Amino acid sequence: MTIGIVVAVIVVIVVLWLIIAYNGFIRAKNNVEEGFSTMDVYLKKRFDLIPNLVETVKGYTDHEAKTLEKVVSARSMVQNATNTREQLEGENALSQTLHSLFAVAENYPDLKANQNFLDLQVQLQQIEADIANARKYYNAVVKIFNNKCEMFPSNLLAGIFHFEKKPMFEVEGAEERQNVKVEF
């Protein structure tokens, strides 16, 4: 009788742990999805500003076609992304090309004084700040989820229910961490 009670208690504890751990995974997964969606809203706002920015700059910098082409190409990379990892890589490339675009704009006093350009620049700076905050939140919830996927004993449950690590949103490659070089 005592052995039966002990076994029943152990079974109840294991079942409770499975329920709590599974629900923890679902909560963490939903937080990751929410974090990505929030960040995606800001990335979309930036994405939508880029054609206006490119058109404004194009009118002042006819011989800077290469820089403008890189911005448009990076924007297309984001638009054609088929999964989260590709989208994050595209967003990193887009951020880099936008830095190049603003570095080029520094050499055009008329452009820097253009009210439309200044408005777009202020909007983009605000969106970049929002993206940075959303990126921090996203990476924080991804870290929590990934820890659950890798740490014992929850990693056993992750394997059973096919919970897989999520990608962090980070700068890729040493060249993207360096300052932009502008050459004429």
Side-chain angles (χ1 to χ4, degrees), residues 9 14 23 32 46 55 84 96 108-109 111 117:
V9 168
V14 169
N23 287 341
V32 168
R46 178 178 71 177
E55 286 303 314
T84 303
Q96 191 67 22
Y108 294 89
L111 175 60
F117 177 76

Side-chain angles (χ1 to χ4, degrees), residues 47-110:
F47 185 82
D48 291 343
L49 272 179
I50 291 170
N52 296 332
L53 188 62
V54 167
E55 286 303 314
T56 302
V57 172
K58 194 184 291 185
Y60 286 89
T61 61
D62 293 333
H63 63 283
E64 296 297 338
K66 192 174 197 175
T67 301
L68 295 174
E69 286 172 14
K70 285 181 181 179
V71 172
V72 172
S73 174
R75 185 175 184 270
S76 295
M77 185 178 169
V78 171
Q79 191 171 23
N80 297 328
T82 58
N83 60 44
T84 303
R85 187 168 302 282
E86 286 179 8
Q87 185 175 0
L88 296 177
E89 289 171 2
E91 292 296 346
N92 280 331
L94 188 55
S95 291
Q96 191 67 22
T97 59
L98 286 173
H99 290 299
S100 297
L101 182 65
F102 284 118
V104 165
E106 288 295 315
N107 293 304
Y108 294 89
D110 291 343

Side-chain angles (χ1 to χ4, degrees), residues 23-36:
N23 287 341
F25 268 109
I26 297 302
R27 185 178 310 106
K29 179 180 78 70
N30 290 339
N31 285 341
V32 168
E33 290 171 1
E34 178 216 6
F36 185 81

Side-chain angles (χ1 to χ4, degrees), residues 146-159:
N146 288 348
N147 283 346
K148 285 180 171 285
C149 288
E150 293 182 304
M151 296 173 79
F152 183 81
S154 62
N155 65 341
L156 301 174
L157 197 59

